[in-house]
Amino acid sequence: MTPRERSFAAWLQAHRRSVLFLMLLLVLGGIYSALRMPVSLFPAIAFPRVVVYLDAGDRPASQMELEVTRVVERALRGVPKVTAISSATSRGSADVDVRFNWGTDMPRAVLQVEAALNQVLPRLPAGTHFEVHRMDPTKFPVLAYSLTSTHLSQVQLRDIARYQLVPLLSSVQGVRHIGVMGGQTAEYRVTVDPARLAALGLSMGDVERALTAANIIRAVGRLQAHYKLFLLLSDTRFKDLAEIRHTVLRTGKDGVVTLDDVATVRLATRPQWITVTANGHQAVLVTVYQQLGGNTVAIDRAIQARLKSIEPRLPADLHIHQWYNQSGLILDSAGSVRDAIILGVVFATLVLFIFLRNWKLTLIALLVVPGVLAAASALLYALGMSFNIMTLGGMAAAVGLIIDDVIVMLEHLVRRLIQQGHGPRTVLDAAREFTQPLAGSSTATVIIFVPLAFLSGVTGAFFKALALTMATSLVISFLFAWLALPLIAARLLGPKDAQHDAGGRITRATQQIYRRLMQGLMRRPLWLLAGLIPLLVAGAISFEHVPSGFMPQMNEGGFVLDYQTPPGTSLAETDRLLDQVAHILRTTPQVDTWSRRTGTQLGGGVTEANQGDFFVRLKSPRGQQAVMDRIARRIHDDVPGLTVQDMNQPMQDLIGDLTGSPRPVVIRLFGDDWQQLVKLAPKVAARIRQIRGLKEVQDGLVIAGDALNIRVDRIKAALEGLTPAEVTAQLDAYLSGVVTTHIQQGQQVIGVRVWTSSALRSSRARIERLLLRAPDGHLVPLSRIATIRRVTGVPEITRYNLKPMVAVSARIEGRGYGGAIADVRQALATPGLLPKHVYYTLGGLYKQQQIAFHALGVVFVAAAALLFLALLFQYERFRVALAIISAPLLAVFGVFTGLWIAGQTLNITALMGMTMILGIVTEVAIFYFSELVLLSASLPSAEALIEAGVNRLRPIAMTTLAAILALLPLALGIGQGSAMQQPLAVAIIAGLAVQMPLVLIAVPVIFSRVLHGKPEELLS
């Protein structure tokens, strides 16, 4: 042993107490950090997307597109780092979707978008206003409750939610916003009789002005008297219904005309065109949105505690029911990962005990592995990370690699202890001897995560957290295996352990078989092809047949069902159809509860009255896809007239909304003639609907409901003394009502709406008979100065990067992305389908998948290059580096075979596992060459190559088996939330399954016979 090695052993022996105490502090700090770390479903991700909502009143879609949308698009195109702009324009409103580069400072980008809009606002039609929303994971609620009652009105339910629950829950730490949806809002309804108004020579405008003037509070001055300063207020506010009724409209020689002479006044509700239910009953929904980086589990506990505290003060008939709880999925996922970690540690320690038959070594492993994970938690906490599905999955996947470090170090210590006998520093000297291979192997596994730091897009957003967790765990694992483990082993292992034979007949027989096999291969290296060719062929066939996907699909125990009825369907008719859907849900045994929105969405966006969504929570996540398919079939068969647009699980729905690519297949059709695109889209949809595996095909045309267009004849109106603006104002008052003033009552402000009786506006004919008042007082029927024409609903005008575009989309079921998209391309190439000057691009999740695959391909190549550099730096021999790197590259073929056999898709999680295999197999190959270095000084070349494999046969078998067993719970998808890491675990296990023969058989033959390497090279 060199003086350097002896000095290290002496130093470690002298500082053993401080080293062990440092490790203990890391473990205790990790436990403390784990208890304080925020817990959420996703990592804190800044999605580079902003949505602008524009409202310019009621105007045709074509006019809205020309006067508003195009102007805004051009203004936003100049905002720095904008990559794409898409828009959808309908009657009087438009949504503009602005995409930025990943890594953009999004708070700053939002301010820049608002600045650009404010600059262009004076050029837009009067009354245009906008809202800017940044897209991030907090868009989706983390908790949701329904309020129902058999006696309380919808107004009372909404008031309880707004004025009692919202203030109570908003102050919970980590809560960003409390949303209230559904119910009704109270208002005072002044229903005017036009005949009485006409008889008294009054107009609707007179009523509006009188109400506004009678309900005032205003400071009129100050008074200084009696050593005080008084504020003088003129207060004529309404206090009750009686004061509203007695509002004076006119005085004169004929007496006083009050409001109740021409109208009835009552307490009513604000008109609305949305419906919200829970389990088939009218309800008010309360949704909780967390701040970015908030602790979902802590928020859930605090919300539940506060609801329990207010329960005695709420009406006894009020029922508060939770219909969504994201923390449940998080806790279930954490529990599954915890179970996977425990099972992995138990399996690995059993392997250790079976091979080494020493309970002391088993105890050491049981202590070190949880200690490493705890210490890693401290580092993650210091980096500002949270426990989420990615970090927890990273810890579970890291268990097998941590066990590797523990096993190889313990096996080396025991082997040296048996060979050299027990001594005061035998164990520590053996640890120093193993420092270089342990450091090299740890570098090989950690270095593959370096390229992930430069990964962008959805893949980088999600998998940086997993990569950082695993890299952190592996660094901590190296420190524990290098410093703590030898000290603990030196303390526990005694002279009896040095006399213990950890081998056995099976081990010796296996080693003898290995010797004979390698001796034959060294003489005839071409025999190696008998093993490599089947591996390569099987991998190539599997690569062609394994389906491709984007992200794994998790069974979350719930799903979102988006629906629509034919354009123009009334809210009442839509409700009737949805009652049938509610019956289907009620009679499905697996359904626990559900909520429904019509005219609005779960995320809060406003839609047409014929669109909306259900959120359905199941009793168990098992067999979720089959339940979803069965419900979709029943709706298709039993509810004609209602179309299911999408059925996604919440996380999948959220990721699709955040990325703006909610569906796998999106065909963007571009052309200069908008009407041509409108006619073409249904033809393209019909053509791709014939492709196997494409479901819920949509032509991308969102048709607004029919409209009655009231066209004022300017000349006829002028002859009656009316202007078009005056006609429009009177029609607005007749048909929509005008909120003229507001009355404060307690915590709320109630509007006063002046309207006409619904009987006067219940049909087209009655609207034509409406009497308008001219300035001179005479009455004019609407039909005299205007015509009413029915306008069939027109589609939204959609654009992408300033060019007209229609997006035909579909969902893929039962096959991979690659095969489905190939068929789509073939279908679009059908002669005569696409006219001249019309072209298409593919978007959606398929495009996101291609971007992710390309990025991960670059990461794979970069990781392989860095590994080769590290090997070259460690050995300074190209032959050695080439021989070692050949093993992980060949193992990739085994990964494809494993994914195909396991029925997994080749998605970004599987590609992550494939990249990790590079480091894992390289690590084992380094251990082989470290043994070869030691033996090459005393044995001939051929014998050293074989004996190095003999010595490493047992530890490699132990690490391989232990890692496979540690990852097995994840690979089997045991527990909720494990599906995200399942393809990664399958990919790693598949690579591990072929690593032993590759490292112990293929690498020695390739090094000595193909590359003509000599073990003696390693000594220099």
Side-chain angles (χ1 to χ4, degrees), residues 976-1016:
Q976 192 171 1
S978 60
M980 180 61 74
Q981 282 77 36
Q982 188 177 15
L984 180 141
V986 170
I988 295 176
I989 287 176
L992 290 171
V994 296
Q995 86 167 356
M996 267 193 71
L998 288 175
V999 171
L1000 293 176
I1001 299 174
V1003 169
V1005 176
I1006 291 172
F1007 175 67
S1008 64
R1009 293 294 182 261
V1010 179
L1011 301 175
H1012 305 291
K1014 301 292 183 183
E1016 293 81 9

Side-chain angles (χ1 to χ4, degrees), residues 3-14 428-429 431-433 435 482-483 486:
R4 184 180 176 185
E5 290 173 338
R6 286 194 294 270
S7 65
F8 171 80
W11 178 89
L12 195 57
Q13 178 70 20
L428 298 183
D429 289 339
R432 174 60 187 91
E433 178 186 68
T435 297
W482 181 42
L483 298 175

Side-chain angles (χ1 to χ4, degrees), residues 890-940:
L890 289 170
V892 169
F893 289 87
V895 171
F896 291 128
T897 304
L899 291 172
W900 189 29
I901 293 173
Q904 294 291 325
T905 59
L906 182 62
N907 50 45
I908 58 177
T909 309
L911 288 176
M912 276 289 298
M914 188 174 72
T915 305
M916 289 169 59
I917 275 295
L918 291 177
I920 295 170
V921 179
T922 301
E923 174 187 17
V924 176
I926 287 175
F927 289 140
Y928 168 81
F929 270 89
S930 68
E931 188 69 20
L932 183 59
V933 170
L934 295 174
L935 295 179
S936 59
S938 57
L939 294 176

Side-chain angles (χ1 to χ4, degrees), residues 313-324:
R313 303 196 298 274
L314 296 175
D317 187 48
L318 177 66
H319 304 288
I320 301 179
H321 180 71
Q322 186 182 80
W323 54 268
Y324 180 67

Side-chain angles (χ1 to χ4, degrees), residues 651-667:
M651 191 179 79
Q652 182 182 357
D653 191 59
L654 174 60
I655 293 173
D657 286 344
L658 292 177
T659 59
S661 304
R663 314 196 93 199
V665 180
V666 175
I667 306 167

